Amino acid sequence: MEKFRIFGGYRLSGTVTVSGAKNAALPCLAATLLTREPVRLSGLPRVRDILTMEKVLRTLGEHCQHDNGTTTVVMGQATATHAPYELVRTMRASVLVLGPLLASRRQARVALPGGCAIGARPIDFHLSALARLGADIRVEHGDVVAEAPRGLFGAEIAFPRVTVTGTENLLMAATLARGRTVLSGCAREPEVVDLAAMLTLMGARISGAGTDVIEVEGVDQLTGCSHTVIPDRIEAGTYLLAALMVGDGVRIEGCVPEHLSAVLEVLGSAGAQVEVQPQALVVPRQQTPLRAFTVSTQEYPGFPTDLQAQAMALATQAEGRSEIVENIFENRFQHVLELKRLGADISVEGRKAVVRGPTKLQGTTVMASDLRASAALVLAGLAAEGETVVDRIYHLDRGYETMEVKLSQLGARIERFNPGPFL
């Protein structure tokens, strides 16, 4: 099993370029099921989750062709409707094929999804909302089985709580439903807006994306298109926090700073110096130590839960008592024990973690529990004294494109290695 070996104490400097957003690319790939024409997608990161989604599409009769940074998805003999457990179990976002399959092929069989063990993320909202569009849905042998022999019909649907994948699934399904669909309580994430932009290029009639109410007028068919996915705000935020921990002048290029407004506000309260440019963030070496700060994760435009773990790593180097409250997932503090192994002073009370800093971190072997926790451990390893080994980095590979290469180019000493089956 591959690991990272990190030698701490080296300062980062130079420019790092942000990859396309994994969480935008996944629904865009799923949306290709809505048309029989080729769809060209640029900026897809070559990470494990994208490769898994491409395997799911191939199982469903589509072909993915790669050429110089562009992925062209072409529908073949599109009769398959089953996304099997062997693929879906590793990635919760596979459930995104449910809505498009129902809309375009009128039936779907999708294994109940897996993914990171960060808490309960039920798809009940997806299923009840699709039923409101006229689908017959049941669970058989671990699979969601959905049928709509007469097609889908527009309806008014209110999500009981904000769900990003639920919003995306219903948005895709509604594009081919007869009549008008009104979705309220929608997620406002940039990734939802990006999906709506792609669907609009395909001929969908959508208004309100980016607000909590989205309206969709169904159309008879969608066409192919060319679309570039937005930059990954979570990757940009991760390198931003790394630069504040161990940076000597880092430029984070190819990002959308507005997507990180809540993060920049928190960092500003801590005294961080960050220059915001139209498509870049510039982090000079900090002249004064960061002050303790408070983070409370919220749905967009609030502080993203996907940067909570990395912010906790930063808090270990800030002066004073930082508080981090996790409001999205109930089991997303699994990285705390691993950060404490590195020497962090952290206590947890329910959904709140208190971090006292600054602390001198010392390298050791730690184990990643999920995608973002693994990033936090890498950041801590960069700041730690001596050698840190991060185990189970397959989590990291789900969402970060060649992280060790990008950090090495900034001056970090980090390497990927495989100790063999008996170590």
Side-chain angles (χ1 to χ4, degrees), residues 140-377:
E140 294 180 353
H141 307 292
D143 290 345
V144 175
V145 180
E147 297 173 340
R150 297 173 53 240
L152 299 176
F153 298 85
E156 294 192 4
I157 296 168
F159 292 109
R161 78 172 186 219
V162 175
T163 163
V164 176
T165 53
T167 299
E168 292 165 343
N169 230 337
L170 268 293
L171 176 59
M172 289 185 282
T175 60
L176 295 179
R178 297 178 201 170
R180 180 169 170 264
T181 298
V182 180
L183 305 174
S184 59
C186 294
R188 300 162 59 188
E189 270 72 0
E191 294 80 12
V192 174
V193 177
D194 192 54
L195 173 63
M198 173 182 161
L199 292 170
T200 299
L201 289 174
M202 296 170 69
R205 299 173 63 186
I206 301 168
S207 62
T211 74
D212 60 354
V213 178
I214 300 177
E215 297 187 15
V216 185
E217 287 286 346
V219 297
D220 292 335
Q221 62 181 13
L222 296 177
T223 65
C225 73
S226 296
H227 177 69
T228 300
V229 300
I230 57 174
D232 194 320
R233 60 193 172 102
I234 304 303
E235 184 191 25
T238 299
Y239 291 127
L240 168 62
L241 298 177
L244 288 170
M245 290 179 72
V246 293
D248 252 345
V250 175
R251 177 182 176 86
I252 302 157
E253 201 163 68
C255 62
V256 182
E258 304 92 84
H259 292 170
L260 290 169
S261 294
V263 177
L264 292 170
E265 183 177 346
V266 168
L267 295 176
S269 73
Q273 298 176 330
V274 181
E275 180 185 345
V276 178
Q277 297 183 358
Q279 293 182 323
L281 294 167
V282 179
V283 187
R285 179 163 188 166
Q286 304 300 293
Q287 299 303 309
T288 57
L290 293 184
R291 300 186 296 270
F293 53 86
T294 298
V295 163
S296 181
T297 63
Q298 302 288 344
E299 293 87 0
Y300 190 85
F303 194 100
T305 181
D306 280 353
L307 283 173
Q308 175 257 105
Q310 300 92 308
M312 190 178 293
L314 176 65
T316 68
Q317 303 306 299
E319 291 188 335
R321 181 181 185 274
S322 295
E323 291 189 359
I324 298 177
V325 181
E326 175 55 56
N327 295 304
I328 307 300
F329 296 117
E330 73 280 3
N331 195 28
R332 205 165 199 178
F333 280 154
Q334 296 183 70
H335 46 278
V336 169
L337 291 177
E338 300 304 299
L339 287 173
K340 291 176 73 170
R341 281 180 50 77
L342 291 163
D345 184 352
I346 307 172
S347 58
V348 175
E349 299 175 3
R351 289 183 176 265
K352 181 174 75 174
V354 175
V355 187
R356 293 173 177 84
T359 54
K360 187 175 183 180
L361 303 179
Q362 296 183 325
T364 188
T365 298
V366 291
M367 182 175 294
S369 57
D370 61 72
L371 169 55
R372 306 307 173 183
S374 58
L377 297 177

Side-chain angles (χ1 to χ4, degrees), residues 22 47-49 232 371-372 395-401:
K22 180 217 26 148
V47 297
R48 188 184 296 269
D49 276 7
D232 194 320
L371 169 55
R372 306 307 173 183
H395 287 296
L396 189 99
D397 290 337
R398 288 185 51 226
Y400 289 92
E401 187 172 40

Side-chain angles (χ1 to χ4, degrees), residues 88 91-99 109-115 119-131 137-140 142-146 159-167 169-170 329:
V88 175
M91 185 184 68
R92 181 178 181 272
S94 304
V95 76
L96 286 168
V97 302
L98 184 58
R109 188 181 190 101
V110 180
L112 289 169
R121 298 193 284 182
I123 64 168
D124 299 6
F125 300 161
H126 305 233
L127 305 186
S128 59
L130 288 170
I137 297 177
R138 60 192 183 276
V139 176
E140 294 180 353
D143 290 345
V144 175
V145 180
F159 292 109
R161 78 172 186 219
V162 175
T163 163
V164 176
T165 53
T167 299
N169 230 337
L170 268 293
F329 296 117

